Amino acid sequence: MSQETVYAIASGKGGVGKTTTTVNLGTALAQAGKRVAIVDADLGMANLAGFVSLSPGATTLHDVLAGDASIDDATYRLAENIVAVPSGTDLDDYAETSPEGLRDVVSELRSSFDYVFLDVGAGVSHETVLPLGLADAVLLVSTPEPAAVHDSKKTLELTDRSGGEIAGLVITRTRPDSDVSYEEIAARLDVPLLGTIPDDPSARESVYAGTPLVVYEPDGPAAVAYRRLAADLSGIDVPDRPPSGRDTTGDGGSRAADGSSGGADASVIDRTPDEGSEGREAAQDDVSSAITEAETDP
């Protein structure tokens, strides 16, 4: 699968770890020296903003899809080699977007980055289906719970209807003492099992810390599994831990030390925050909490 560079991370059910998977796969590949962009393609229920500490008036993918900004304007540096394109959380802005514009966004990012990960919304809507057909391949994410597996079948059908290709299944929150056969779940869905991500309390802690799990607890079972998955997808060696002396903290600080934010080429483009945004930056704990709730089953 090394020739595939744009992946849609999708699920039929919310709260299965889709955003966590997106962020950690991207970070692991960035640590390996690849240039990575992660995109919040969940236009209606965005939750990636917490990883970049957006100020209320910051430019997002909503502005790009409304024709009011360029993709560079909505691109924020997370750490070395990795940027994020978050969607907004304002429903009025969402109403102004044209999801079809995502096609041009993906095309532009594909030409600028080694890997692009699209964090796709759950459910059935036009903006959910569109990324499935734009990506080179779709990573289906599910927990072992029957409801999540059942809803995964809907995503498989949507991917087929959109002309997309399924790369395989990633099962999160697995337990070594479980009597569930994860291979059997994949066989039931008729897709390859790409990997399993063990249930790990550090995953929730890492979200509250605003730090990707592969950086926050690099030797933990889930972090090890995410690095293995990244290596299998890309066909490259992924380091066991963050390279020392590099900016791989992923601390949610989309702002550089001088208060600027990185664009598509973070080593070259620095942008000054919008006038009047100083002091209005989103509280990281509040947004990270919202992400945690979104990524946790009721």
Side-chain angles (χ1 to χ4, degrees):
M1 286 180 283
S2 59
Q3 298 304 307
E4 295 166 346
T5 61
V6 178
Y7 288 94
I9 315 298
S11 67
K13 183 178 182 298
V16 299
K18 201 161 34 61
T19 299
T20 298
T21 297
T22 302
V23 170
N24 283 284
L25 280 181
T27 302
L29 289 173
Q31 290 173 349
K34 297 299 180 181
R35 287 171 49 78
V36 179
I38 58 177
V39 181
D40 194 341
D42 189 351
L43 302 180
M45 298 292 287
N47 61 16
L48 189 60
F51 285 93
V52 295
S53 295
L54 285 185
S55 57
T59 304
T60 70
L61 183 59
H62 283 177
D63 299 300
V64 178
L65 297 182
D68 297 328
S70 71
I71 187 63
D72 279 350
D73 294 333
T75 302
Y76 297 81
R77 181 178 183 270
L78 294 183
E80 185 174 13
N81 295 327
I82 184 168
V83 302
V85 181
S87 282
T89 57
D90 188 283
L91 291 179
D92 290 335
D93 290 342
Y94 166 65
E96 299 297 323
T97 63
S98 173
E100 288 296 334
L102 190 61
R103 191 178 305 276
D104 292 334
V105 169
V106 170
S107 177
E108 188 168 344
L109 292 174
R110 182 194 293 275
S111 66
S112 301
F113 294 89
D114 298 315
Y115 290 93
V116 178
F117 292 98
L118 308 176
D119 186 5
V120 183
V124 180
S125 65
H126 180 56
E127 58 260 32
T128 297
V129 176
L130 184 62
L132 303 178
L134 296 179
D136 296 327
V138 176
L139 296 187
L140 186 62
V141 180
S142 177
T143 62
E145 281 69 31
V149 174
H150 176 76
D151 285 350
S152 293
K153 296 178 181 179
K154 301 175 185 176
T155 303
L156 290 173
E157 183 179 348
L158 290 175
T159 301
D160 183 63
R161 292 187 178 188
S162 68
E165 297 288 337
I166 294 287
L169 174 68
V170 177
I171 302 180
T172 60
R173 301 184 192 147
T174 62
R175 298 179 180 275
D177 57 351
S178 173
D179 57 1
V180 175
S181 169
Y182 306 122
E183 291 80 5
E184 183 177 325
I185 290 175
R188 214 183 316 158
L189 294 172
D190 196 25
V191 297
L193 179 62
L194 297 181
T196 58
I197 311 298
D199 193 20
D200 187 343
S202 295
R204 173 183 284 266
E205 296 170 11
S206 73
V207 174
Y208 278 113
T211 304
L213 181 61
V214 294
V215 177
Y216 181 83
E217 190 65 50
D219 297 324
V224 170
Y226 274 126
R227 289 198 302 272
R228 184 183 304 119
L229 176 59
D232 290 343
L233 282 177
S234 63
I236 64 175
D237 291 331
V238 174
D240 292 337
R241 55 178 52 251
S244 60
R246 293 188 178 183
D247 174 19
T248 54
T249 57
D251 58 359
S254 60
R255 309 298 173 185
D258 61 357
S260 62
S261 57
D265 186 347
S267 64
V268 177
I269 302 174
D270 279 334
R271 292 184 285 106
T272 303
D274 297 337
E275 285 189 30
S277 66
E278 186 175 355
R280 295 189 295 128
E281 187 167 293
Q284 183 66 31
D285 287 346
D286 291 345
V287 187
S288 293
S289 176
I291 296 173
T292 302
E293 292 175 5
E295 291 285 45
T296 304
D297 285 325

